[in-house]
Amino acid sequence: MIKTVLVGLVCGAVALTLGVLIGHFGITNNSSSAPSWINDIGKDVDENIVEKFLSEVDRLNIEENLRELTKVPHLATSEGDEQTVQFMLKRWQDPESGLDKAWREEYEVYLSFPDAKNPNKVTVGESFLEKEKNYTKDQEDPDIVQPYAAYSPAGQPKGKLVYANQGKPSDYELLNRTVDLRGTIAITRYGGAGRGAKAINAAPYGVIGVLVYTDPLDINDGLMSDINETYPHSWYLPPSGVERGAFGSQYGDMLTPYLAAKEETYRIPFKNVTGVPPIPIQPIGFEDAYRLICELGGEGAPTEWKGAFNCTYNFGGPGFKPESAFNNSDVKMAIFNQDVIKNSSNVMGVIRGSVEPDRYVIYGNHRDSWVHGAIDPSSGTSVMLELSRVLGKMVKEGKWRPRRSIIFGSWGAEEFGLIGSAEYTEQYFTMLSERTIAYINVDIAVFANATLRASAMPSLQNILFTATRQVSAPGLDSTSVYDNWVQFSNRTSPTHGLGKKIKKSQTSHLFPQSKTNARIYPAYHTAYDTFHYASNFIDPGFFSHQAVARTAGNVLIRLADSLVLPLNCSDYAESLEDYLNKAVDLYQEKLSSRNISMGRSLLEFKSTFSSFGFLCFSPEPLKVRRINDQLMLLDRAFLNPLAFPDKYAYRHVIWASSSANVGTFPGLADAFAKADSSGQTGDWEKVHHHMSMLSQAIDGAAGMLENVI
Amino acid sequence: MIKTVLVGLVCGAVALTLGVLIGHFGITNNSSSAPSWINDIGKDVDENIVEKFLSEVDRLNIEENLRELTKVPHLATSEGDEQTVQFMLKRWQDPESGLDKAWREEYEVYLSFPDAKNPNKVTVGESFLEKEKNYTKDQEDPDIVQPYAAYSPAGQPKGKLVYANQGKPSDYELLNRTVDLRGTIAITRYGGAGRGAKAINAAPYGVIGVLVYTDPLDINDGLMSDINETYPHSWYLPPSGVERGAFGSQYGDMLTPYLAAKEETYRIPFKNVTGVPPIPIQPIGFEDAYRLICELGGEGAPTEWKGAFNCTYNFGGPGFKPESAFNNSDVKMAIFNQDVIKNSSNVMGVIRGSVEPDRYVIYGNHRDSWVHGAIDPSSGTSVMLELSRVLGKMVKEGKWRPRRSIIFGSWGAEEFGLIGSAEYTEQYFTMLSERTIAYINVDIAVFANATLRASAMPSLQNILFTATRQVSAPGLDSTSVYDNWVQFSNRTSPTHGLGKKIKKSQTSHLFPQSKTNARIYPAYHTAYDTFHYASNFIDPGFFSHQAVARTAGNVLIRLADSLVLPLNCSDYAESLEDYLNKAVDLYQEKLSSRNISMGRSLLEFKSTFSSFGFLCFSPEPLKVRRINDQLMLLDRAFLNPLAFPDKYAYRHVIWASSSANVGTFPGLADAFAKADSSGQTGDWEKVHHHMSMLSQAIDGAAGMLENVI
């Protein structure tokens, strides 16, 4: 999974207010007979601590962390995974630079592995699916899991081959107009649809097996040769490289929805699990895909279906050209994946807050990888370890303790569907709901030596601006990340002006950018994602890693130490307004004709949100806490466990995922799309129903910002 | 609806700790250069204020409040209801004894009324269902709503009469063995099953209409004559008296589940509403019931079906005895009820908290009645007004301001299914969830001059003991309510010893008790529930009202002013342990045989709960707040919106209602009962599933009490 800097949750007050508070407490502190705790209770972020943190973060330590973490493959629950558990514990329990406390949390989770004794095979007369080719010793490690599709069922389908582009519903529909798909094996390329969706979309047409490969067009800027073009000559994927992955679409352990997967926990029958492939599916390298696709018969596929191979992409007769050596052959898949419940660990660590230990800022990344996982996820883990070392050292030396508690999480089994973090939130749901300020996730820290991706609630824009202003861009000592950003951005915001607006899931190109169209770094989820690869092709010198560690750590310190939480409600309002404007444009006319009103609350929230930052308040600690609670809990008002009855685990009426993919309220967009297409009264009623839930949620959020009584 | 003193939510720390804190702040306060807010921030309950409150509560004011509130009938949304709205607003906005602020909140709610121009009728040749007989001018008021079953459908069924006891499923089943029920009208007596259930249970047997009456056995200790035995000669129900009521089983506005019923809110189609009578149903007086039942033919009903009539209770032939004057007649029902969406108001008022305005103690009662509603609900409203007058006056005079905010609610349309309060909680859900300490409900304040009913979370036992120790029992100046209680109680608790244990929905007889078996006061929901009735038969002199006002107000002040919340976790643990022991007794063997474990958390919570009260902490305000948040939010850990998929609005895994009616975890009990009866694997899986949810919730609750990090 790819997330770089994901900062979660809620909304903020203006910096001016902070100034007032600092001043007041400055005076109060001089009074010698005030109780001693009054010093701590009024303390704000200490810029000297921030400076000290920034200067102590050392790229060479990050490099050493990465070397250590990537010594052996560390697939979830493997021996190598256990070694990383021990390593994390050792570091977080270090007497000189560890945390206050570190421990492991274990879950019994449902995973899927190939059978080591009975490898998966694809054959067309001869056998395909060789191991990935060795270029360094890393690829020789016997513990490397051979390429497979986790959660693909076992099975041995045999049939004529067809080419189905990216395996989207529209791809199969188009293909099916020309070719009878019943009993065929479809070869697809990565992209366009989720991994498992390529098989889920295929099954209704009678397809019995699916292959998936990475086309050099999508990942290698078209390059294919390992003589001089691909790794180890460059960062590009070698011809035998295969992207592994989880082919389920659920979050968390599939058998224990909403429950932590402990030994005695109830598990749903596997037949009730949705979102997994109904037919065998297997990923292969483009070397193999080239030989298969270029031999296919039948009509030529549309231009958009074409990748970088120097041959025509045909649909398949079904099957191969008459003149092909494969001729009339079937493709045979022999898939021996096994589902198994195994013990997976999160490693947790905390620094206890001095003043508000019951407020948590959480920082996490997963620990498990598909193979050596140097970039995914160990680049992020190396950054986390350096950041926690610097903070831990300051704590152990008595130089600093955060106002709020900091919780670090090193999640297990993420590659199988965010399992470790999901089980953790399920287990500690109430505590986390009531006490968490924000969650910061840094997974792949760097992947192209060119890009910072920051995705967060809009209220966190400001803190990212503050942090990036204080960090030098890698290799540009006199230019801050922020200045660089303004230079490279062409987005505008009514509040922040040019180049200062971060939206959910928006990519910002902060650093001089490599010329590549790769959708992600080419070695992603392969046996080439190694320390050698990372240190030679992704971030030689680890300057980018260092910049990410400084930025993320700066954000973390500010969230943990600010007297008033640095969250900005106006920015939240601005995003809501974008959504509203879009909804008015797209829906209002049709809704009015059906007597569905856009809802008063949708039109009135803005003033409440915008004015919150300008509230006046005194320095009394319970008043500050009250404001902070309003900020922290504002976002909870948008949660409604009944809002998305068809979408597992989604509750947030603003930021839930949407199938409609329009930049507006997700549930409204999906309900509208469905009603508009079906025209059924019942579907229009669902639009109205969701509109009311949305309206009530926005009212509730605005209410959280109003005077508390 | 009947609730006397219902105190809601959460769990508490021991009094010893309070002492320590008070002492410390006493010292700190003498320091002249400490900031001024430090005085308020460390203040605890001021016993002088409590004393002042108790002494100022005046029974004669309560009497005057009641006289004013019961001048005219005030059925929800009627002209009389609007008069009470204005009266509440006037009182709560009074410049000398009002609250900081008072206002109305309006909703558009789904109600059901008879057609004034076309009265409901029951005929057997001649017409029955006379108006209730006039004994005072009150019964002459043209605005009295004539007896009806709210939410009964309109219709004019005609059929032979049968007697179906209380209309329970088992009653119809037994009756159906002897009599073919298809096309019959069933007469039933109140009690044993919910109002609407008497029709819901009947319909599957082909019954086409239902009558319901109050048997003198159940309400009048058997007395029947208005010559000398019943009102106006005593508190007993006159022969023509009819209990009205809501015959739906939903909470809140039926058409807007989980949403506040605003004008633009989505409304579900009425056909999707569940829990309403599928066939017409109508309540009648026992005078009419007597004439019908004593004429019935067929076999004699079982002894348990017999009420106080001096005739045999027969099943019905179906229909009447051959020798009856009614002979072969059909009973005809002509029901003209109309469903309508009308505007209903809550009246809200607040006293803003001085130190923690963002923590709410809520005190409420409904305002609407069926007729004059002197006891239900105006006795409670009169108490609330006297209590708010005394508190308001202290605030206006600058003598007192609570630490936390107090919110008063005068709910509308409660008689139709708790509508006003449900819409309020739906509208302000997030705010109330995050900030509410407790909810106190005093509806019927007094109903037999004999009984205090207190129903609350177990953690609130202690505060009730403290309050009742400080209030004199009515008419017993030298005996406290508490001492009286110990005398009359024979319950024991491991923690509190003899007579000191209050359980959910448990009735405690505190005062010398009238000898009556009435299930409620006899004039309940009739035109005889008047000021005359209340002041002559229920509480002459209003001494009991005064004792209730003092007790409830004392609890309110303590919840609002205590530095550390007076909630007791050990008491909570004790109740959980009772549930656990029962579950072990009843279920463990069968569960083990199916490999369902009782869950580690169920066996381990006790030490965490019990030790919480003994936590040491310093006087720092944010530490006190932290403890209080743990106490306040503990109970939230038991809420799971997915725990009761078949029960609307229930979320609490400990205190939800249970059909199984066993004193243990409600969802577990219901799931077990179903699985044990069906034997189906799927049902046993649901038991296991609920056990896991329960286990996770208890773990979560214990987690809230552990060190916050």
Side-chain angles (χ1 to χ4, degrees):
Chain A
M1 294 274 166
I2 329 159
K3 296 206 202 64
T4 315
V5 186
L6 171 74
V7 190
L9 301 176
V10 207
C11 203
V14 293
L16 189 67
T17 322
L18 288 175
V20 174
L21 280 162
I22 297 161
H24 188 103
F25 273 99
I27 295 160
T28 304
N29 292 353
N30 294 334
S31 149
S32 58
S33 60
S36 62
W37 46 261
I38 215 169
N39 286 323
D40 285 338
I41 221 168
K43 237 178 103 178
D44 207 333
V45 173
D46 179 346
E47 292 295 336
N48 293 324
I49 291 292
V50 175
E51 274 308 308
K52 188 172 159 62
F53 169 80
L54 294 177
S55 69
E56 297 223 343
V57 166
D58 187 340
R59 61 192 175 85
L60 299 179
N61 288 331
I62 299 175
E63 183 175 1
E64 281 319 298
N65 292 340
L66 190 66
R67 198 191 304 276
E68 189 65 35
L69 284 164
T70 57
K71 269 183 178 164
V72 293
H74 47 286
L75 182 66
T77 72
S78 68
E79 184 49 44
D81 185 30
E82 179 59 25
Q83 284 180 37
T84 60
V85 168
Q86 295 303 334
F87 178 60
M88 299 300 295
L89 283 172
K90 188 174 147 231
R91 288 290 299 275
W92 283 351
Q93 291 170 346
D94 186 282
E96 273 153 35
S97 63
L99 310 174
D100 289 335
K101 199 169 65 167
W103 68 99
R104 68 197 292 162
E105 300 258 8
E106 300 176 69
Y107 302 96
E108 306 297 318
V109 304
Y110 186 74
L111 303 177
S112 159
F113 297 104
D115 183 348
K117 293 181 196 132
N118 207 2
N120 292 348
K121 278 202 185 83
V122 177
T123 49
V124 194
E126 65 186 300
S127 177
F128 281 71
L129 196 68
E130 302 292 326
K131 290 188 175 184
E132 287 161 311
K133 198 167 157 185
N134 299 347
Y135 299 107
T136 69
K137 287 210 164 182
D138 286 324
Q139 287 87 45
E140 291 167 23
D141 195 309
D143 286 340
I144 291 176
V145 70
Q146 292 310 313
Y148 77 112
Y151 301 114
S152 162
Q156 304 196 36
K158 190 175 92 171
K160 297 278 179 285
L161 191 70
V162 294
Y163 174 59
N165 192 29
Q166 298 177 314
K168 301 190 295 289
S170 58
D171 293 332
Y172 289 111
E173 198 200 323
L174 180 69
L175 182 62
N176 191 52
R177 284 190 218 152
T178 311
V179 186
D180 181 354
L181 294 177
R182 286 174 297 176
T184 61
I185 307 278
I187 183 166
T188 59
R189 57 183 173 129
Y190 272 122
R195 295 190 189 100
K198 294 172 197 293
I200 292 169
N201 299 336
Y205 293 96
V207 175
I208 56 171
V210 176
L211 301 174
V212 54
Y213 78 102
T214 310
D215 197 285
L217 179 73
D218 301 316
I219 202 87
N220 271 6
D221 296 316
L223 303 183
M224 292 182 62
S225 162
D226 70 344
I227 310 296
N228 54 10
E229 291 177 331
T230 62
Y231 182 80
H233 310 289
S234 77
W235 80 326
Y236 289 119
L237 180 67
S240 67
V242 183
E243 179 183 322
R244 295 151 184 79
F247 281 64
S249 62
Q250 207 82 302
Y251 296 150
D253 179 61
M254 287 181 194
L255 300 189
T256 60
Y258 300 113
L259 293 168
K262 296 293 181 180
E263 196 178 339
E264 73 272 17
T265 304
Y266 169 68
R267 284 168 169 78
I268 62 172
F270 181 73
K271 66 177 166 50
N272 295 357
V273 170
T274 55
V276 287
I279 52 175
I281 180 167
Q282 172 71 30
I284 63 175
F286 66 75
E287 175 177 62
D288 290 337
Y290 177 79
R291 292 171 61 202
L292 293 170
I293 287 176
C294 290
E295 298 296 307
L296 277 177
E299 292 182 20
T303 318
E304 315 83 70
W305 287 33
K306 200 170 151 35
F309 295 156
N310 59 355
C311 64
T312 55
Y313 285 64
N314 293 329
F315 284 149
F320 300 99
K321 299 172 191 166
E323 65 270 28
S324 161
F326 298 143
N327 193 335
N328 205 24
S329 304
D330 282 338
V331 169
K332 293 187 212 171
M333 296 172 66
I335 308 300
F336 303 103
N337 297 346
Q338 295 168 330
D339 292 344
V340 57
I341 292 179
K342 289 193 76 180
N343 182 289
S344 170
S345 292
N346 295 333
V347 180
M348 307 301 302
V350 298
I351 301 176
R352 187 178 161 87
S354 56
V355 177
E356 298 182 90
D358 59 338
R359 288 295 174 264
Y360 307 152
V361 182
I362 310 180
Y363 185 110
N365 179 28
H366 68 103
R367 196 186 57 253
D368 66 306
S369 59
W370 282 111
V371 190
H372 294 82
I375 295 303
D376 177 9
S378 307
S379 62
T381 308
S382 302
V383 161
M384 175 163 69
L385 278 173
E386 175 59 1
L387 182 156
S388 64
R389 179 192 70 82
V390 177
L391 299 179
K393 190 157 160 278
M394 292 197 292
V395 169
K396 297 282 183 192
E397 289 170 353
K399 291 181 180 155
W400 174 75
R401 180 166 288 282
R403 178 182 183 86
R404 305 182 179 88
S405 294
I406 296 175
I407 301 179
F408 289 97
S410 170
W411 315 120
E414 185 265 7
E415 292 294 4
F416 291 80
L418 309 181
I419 293 179
S421 54
E423 300 312 302
Y424 174 72
T425 50
E426 285 167 349
Q427 180 169 1
Y428 296 103
F429 184 76
T430 306
M431 213 168 79
L432 295 172
S433 306
E434 301 296 354
R435 297 178 184 157
T436 308
I437 301 296
Y439 173 62
I440 303 173
N441 195 82
V442 181
D443 180 347
I444 294 173
V446 179
F447 75 68
N449 201 21
T451 299
L452 175 72
R453 286 168 48 130
S455 166
M457 295 290 167
S459 44
L460 284 151
Q461 285 184 78
N462 258 338
I463 196 175
L464 278 165
F465 298 155
T466 308
T468 49
R469 278 195 190 97
Q470 297 184 316
V471 176
S472 303
L476 296 170
D477 279 353
S478 60
T479 308
S480 73
V481 167
Y482 180 82
D483 290 338
N484 206 297
W485 188 354
V486 174
Q487 226 177 306
F488 281 82
S489 173
N490 58 0
R491 285 171 291 106
T492 58
S493 145
T495 317
H496 294 281
L498 184 69
K500 297 181 190 167
K501 189 177 180 190
I502 301 169
K503 282 191 181 175
K504 186 170 167 255
S505 299
Q506 200 160 53
T507 301
S508 307
H509 301 287
L510 293 197
F511 311 131
Q513 195 187 355
S514 315
K515 281 285 175 207
T516 178
N517 291 312
R519 63 178 169 83
I520 194 168
Y521 68 102
Y524 174 69
H525 286 196
T526 73
Y528 307 109
D529 184 358
T530 59
F531 180 78
H532 178 265
Y533 181 86
S535 55
N536 282 277
F537 297 109
I538 298 292
D539 189 20
F542 288 79
F543 292 96
S544 291
H545 281 80
Q546 181 174 267
V548 170
R550 287 175 173 166
T551 303
N554 192 328
V555 169
L556 174 62
I557 292 172
R558 287 175 190 284
L559 286 167
D561 274 357
S562 292
L563 183 61
V564 177
L565 289 171
L567 306 167
N568 188 308
C569 291
S570 304
D571 287 347
Y572 214 126
E574 191 186 306
S575 292
L576 287 185
E577 217 179 5
D578 284 354
Y579 271 26
L580 176 64
N581 291 338
K582 182 76 102 179
V584 168
D585 278 2
L586 294 175
Y587 309 140
Q588 194 167 38
E589 200 180 316
K590 284 199 185 175
L591 292 180
S592 298
S593 75
R594 288 172 184 277
N595 273 325
I596 304 173
S597 135
M598 285 298 282
R600 191 189 37 74
S601 57
L602 268 69
L603 308 167
E604 287 177 5
F605 67 87
K606 208 193 161 187
S607 64
T608 316
F609 273 70
S610 304
S611 64
F612 188 71
F614 303 99
L615 275 176
C616 278
F617 56 91
S618 82
E620 298 176 32
L622 289 179
K623 290 200 180 174
V624 178
R625 171 76 164 222
R626 183 191 326 148
I627 305 282
N628 283 340
D629 277 359
Q630 287 179 282
L631 292 166
M632 175 179 82
L633 297 171
L634 168 66
D635 230 77
R636 277 31 161 211
F638 292 122
L639 302 178
N640 179 349
L642 305 172
F644 302 95
D646 304 327
K647 285 198 171 171
Y648 175 73
Y650 282 103
R651 301 185 299 152
H652 200 296
V653 299
I654 313 294
W655 307 123
S657 82
S658 160
S659 316
N661 202 20
V662 184
T664 186
F665 309 107
L668 183 64
D670 287 359
F672 187 94
K674 191 172 177 199
D676 203 30
S677 127
S678 82
Q680 303 217 338
T681 308
D683 288 336
W684 283 111
E685 288 200 353
K686 285 183 186 165
V687 174
H688 194 178
H689 189 190
H690 192 87
M691 180 71 88
S692 292
M693 290 194 281
L694 187 58
S695 193
Q696 185 156 301
I698 292 177
D699 257 352
M704 287 300 286
L705 294 184
E706 281 166 6
N707 277 337
V708 292
I709 198 82
Chain B
M1 293 276 168
I2 330 160
K3 298 203 201 64
T4 315
V5 185
L6 170 74
V7 190
L9 300 176
V10 206
C11 204
V14 294
L16 189 66
T17 323
L18 288 174
V20 174
L21 281 163
I22 297 160
H24 187 104
F25 274 99
I27 295 159
T28 304
N29 291 352
N30 295 333
S31 150
S32 59
S33 59
S36 61
W37 47 261
I38 215 168
N39 286 323
D40 285 338
I41 220 167
K43 236 178 103 179
D44 207 332
V45 174
D46 180 345
E47 292 295 337
N48 293 322
I49 291 292
V50 176
E51 275 307 312
K52 187 172 161 58
F53 168 81
L54 294 177
S55 69
E56 298 225 342
V57 166
D58 187 339
R59 61 191 176 85
L60 298 179
N61 288 331
I62 298 175
E63 182 174 1
E64 282 317 300
N65 292 340
L66 189 67
R67 197 190 305 275
E68 188 64 36
L69 283 164
T70 56
K71 270 185 178 164
V72 292
H74 45 288
L75 181 67
T77 74
S78 68
E79 186 47 43
D81 185 30
E82 179 59 24
Q83 284 179 36
T84 60
V85 168
Q86 295 303 333
F87 178 60
M88 300 300 295
L89 283 171
K90 190 175 146 229
R91 289 291 300 274
W92 283 351
Q93 291 170 346
D94 186 280
E96 272 152 35
S97 63
L99 310 174
D100 289 335
K101 199 168 63 168
W103 68 98
R104 69 197 291 163
E105 299 257 8
E106 300 176 70
Y107 302 96
E108 307 297 318
V109 304
Y110 187 73
L111 303 178
S112 159
F113 297 105
D115 182 349
K117 293 182 196 133
N118 207 3
N120 292 347
K121 277 201 185 83
V122 178
T123 49
V124 195
E126 64 187 300
S127 179
F128 280 72
L129 195 68
E130 301 292 326
K131 289 188 176 186
E132 286 161 312
K133 197 167 158 185
N134 299 348
Y135 300 106
T136 70
K137 287 211 164 179
D138 286 325
Q139 287 86 44
E140 291 167 21
D141 195 309
D143 286 342
I144 290 177
V145 70
Q146 292 309 315
Y148 76 112
Y151 302 114
S152 161
Q156 304 196 38
K158 193 176 90 170
K160 297 278 180 283
L161 191 70
V162 295
Y163 174 59
N165 192 29
Q166 299 177 312
K168 302 190 295 289
S170 58
D171 293 334
Y172 289 111
E173 198 200 325
L174 179 68
L175 182 61
N176 190 54
R177 284 190 218 152
T178 311
V179 186
D180 181 355
L181 293 177
R182 286 173 298 177
T184 61
I185 307 277
I187 184 165
T188 60
R189 57 182 173 130
Y190 272 122
R195 295 192 189 99
K198 294 173 198 292
I200 292 169
N201 299 336
Y205 293 96
V207 175
I208 56 172
V210 176
L211 301 173
V212 56
Y213 78 102
T214 310
D215 197 284
L217 178 73
D218 300 317
I219 203 86
N220 271 5
D221 295 317
L223 304 181
M224 290 183 62
S225 162
D226 69 346
I227 310 294
N228 53 11
E229 291 176 331
T230 62
Y231 182 78
H233 308 289
S234 78
W235 80 326
Y236 289 120
L237 181 66
S240 67
V242 183
E243 178 183 324
R244 295 152 185 80
F247 282 64
S249 61
Q250 206 81 301
Y251 296 150
D253 178 62
M254 286 182 194
L255 301 189
T256 59
Y258 300 113
L259 293 168
K262 297 292 181 179
E263 195 179 339
E264 73 272 18
T265 304
Y266 169 68
R267 285 168 168 79
I268 62 171
F270 180 73
K271 67 176 165 51
N272 295 356
V273 170
T274 55
V276 287
I279 52 176
I281 179 165
Q282 171 71 32
I284 63 175
F286 66 74
E287 175 177 60
D288 290 338
Y290 177 78
R291 293 171 60 202
L292 293 171
I293 287 176
C294 291
E295 297 297 307
L296 277 177
E299 295 183 18
T303 318
E304 314 84 72
W305 287 34
K306 201 170 151 34
F309 295 155
N310 59 356
C311 64
T312 56
Y313 285 63
N314 293 329
F315 283 148
F320 300 100
K321 298 173 191 165
E323 66 273 26
S324 161
F326 298 142
N327 192 336
N328 205 25
S329 302
D330 282 338
V331 169
K332 293 186 211 170
M333 297 172 65
I335 307 301
F336 303 104
N337 297 346
Q338 296 169 328
D339 292 344
V340 57
I341 292 178
K342 289 194 76 179
N343 183 290
S344 171
S345 292
N346 294 333
V347 181
M348 307 301 303
V350 298
I351 301 177
R352 189 179 161 86
S354 56
V355 176
E356 298 183 89
D358 59 337
R359 288 293 175 266
Y360 307 151
V361 182
I362 310 181
Y363 185 110
N365 179 27
H366 68 103
R367 196 187 56 256
D368 65 306
S369 59
W370 282 110
V371 190
H372 294 83
I375 295 303
D376 178 9
S378 307
S379 61
T381 308
S382 301
V383 160
M384 176 162 70
L385 279 173
E386 174 59 359
L387 182 155
S388 65
R389 180 193 69 80
V390 177
L391 298 179
K393 189 157 162 279
M394 293 197 291
V395 169
K396 296 283 184 193
E397 290 170 352
K399 292 180 179 153
W400 175 74
R401 182 165 287 283
R403 178 183 183 85
R404 304 181 180 88
S405 294
I406 296 176
I407 300 179
F408 288 98
S410 171
W411 315 120
E414 185 265 6
E415 293 293 4
F416 290 81
L418 308 182
I419 293 180
S421 54
E423 299 313 301
Y424 174 73
T425 49
E426 285 167 349
Q427 181 170 0
Y428 297 103
F429 183 76
T430 306
M431 214 166 79
L432 295 172
S433 306
E434 302 296 353
R435 297 177 184 159
T436 308
I437 300 296
Y439 173 63
I440 303 173
N441 195 81
V442 181
D443 180 346
I444 295 173
V446 179
F447 74 70
N449 201 20
T451 300
L452 176 73
R453 286 167 46 130
S455 165
M457 294 290 166
S459 44
L460 283 151
Q461 285 184 81
N462 257 338
I463 195 175
L464 278 165
F465 298 155
T466 308
T468 49
R469 277 195 190 98
Q470 296 184 318
V471 177
S472 303
L476 297 169
D477 279 353
S478 61
T479 308
S480 72
V481 166
Y482 181 83
D483 289 339
N484 205 298
W485 189 355
V486 174
Q487 226 177 306
F488 281 81
S489 172
N490 58 0
R491 284 171 293 106
T492 58
S493 144
T495 317
H496 294 282
L498 185 69
K500 297 181 189 169
K501 189 177 179 188
I502 301 168
K503 280 191 179 176
K504 188 173 167 254
S505 299
Q506 200 160 52
T507 300
S508 308
H509 301 286
L510 293 196
F511 311 130
Q513 195 185 354
S514 315
K515 281 285 174 208
T516 177
N517 291 313
R519 62 178 171 83
I520 194 166
Y521 69 102
Y524 175 68
H525 286 196
T526 72
Y528 308 108
D529 184 358
T530 59
F531 180 79
H532 178 266
Y533 181 86
S535 56
N536 282 278
F537 297 109
I538 297 292
D539 189 20
F542 289 80
F543 292 96
S544 292
H545 281 80
Q546 182 175 266
V548 170
R550 286 174 173 165
T551 303
N554 192 328
V555 169
L556 175 62
I557 293 172
R558 287 176 189 284
L559 286 168
D561 274 357
S562 292
L563 183 61
V564 176
L565 289 171
L567 306 167
N568 188 306
C569 292
S570 304
D571 287 347
Y572 214 126
E574 192 186 306
S575 291
L576 286 185
E577 216 178 5
D578 284 353
Y579 270 26
L580 176 64
N581 292 338
K582 182 76 102 178
V584 168
D585 278 1
L586 295 175
Y587 308 141
Q588 194 167 37
E589 199 180 318
K590 283 199 185 174
L591 292 180
S592 297
S593 75
R594 290 172 184 276
N595 273 324
I596 304 173
S597 135
M598 285 299 281
R600 190 189 37 74
S601 57
L602 268 71
L603 307 167
E604 287 178 7
F605 67 88
K606 208 194 162 187
S607 65
T608 316
F609 272 69
S610 304
S611 63
F612 188 71
F614 303 99
L615 273 176
C616 278
F617 55 94
S618 83
E620 300 177 30
L622 290 179
K623 289 200 181 173
V624 178
R625 170 78 164 219
R626 184 191 326 149
I627 305 282
N628 283 340
D629 278 359
Q630 287 179 283
L631 291 167
M632 174 178 83
L633 297 171
L634 168 66
D635 230 75
R636 279 25 164 214
F638 293 122
L639 301 178
N640 179 349
L642 305 172
F644 303 95
D646 305 326
K647 286 197 171 172
Y648 176 72
Y650 283 104
R651 300 186 299 153
H652 200 295
V653 300
I654 312 295
W655 307 123
S657 82
S658 160
S659 316
N661 203 19
V662 185
T664 186
F665 310 106
L668 184 64
D670 287 358
F672 187 95
K674 190 171 177 198
D676 203 30
S677 130
S678 82
Q680 303 218 337
T681 307
D683 287 336
W684 282 111
E685 288 201 354
K686 284 182 187 166
V687 175
H688 193 178
H689 189 190
H690 192 87
M691 180 71 88
S692 292
M693 290 194 282
L694 185 59
S695 193
Q696 186 157 302
I698 293 177
D699 257 351
M704 287 301 285
L705 294 184
E706 282 166 5
N707 276 338
V708 293
I709 199 81

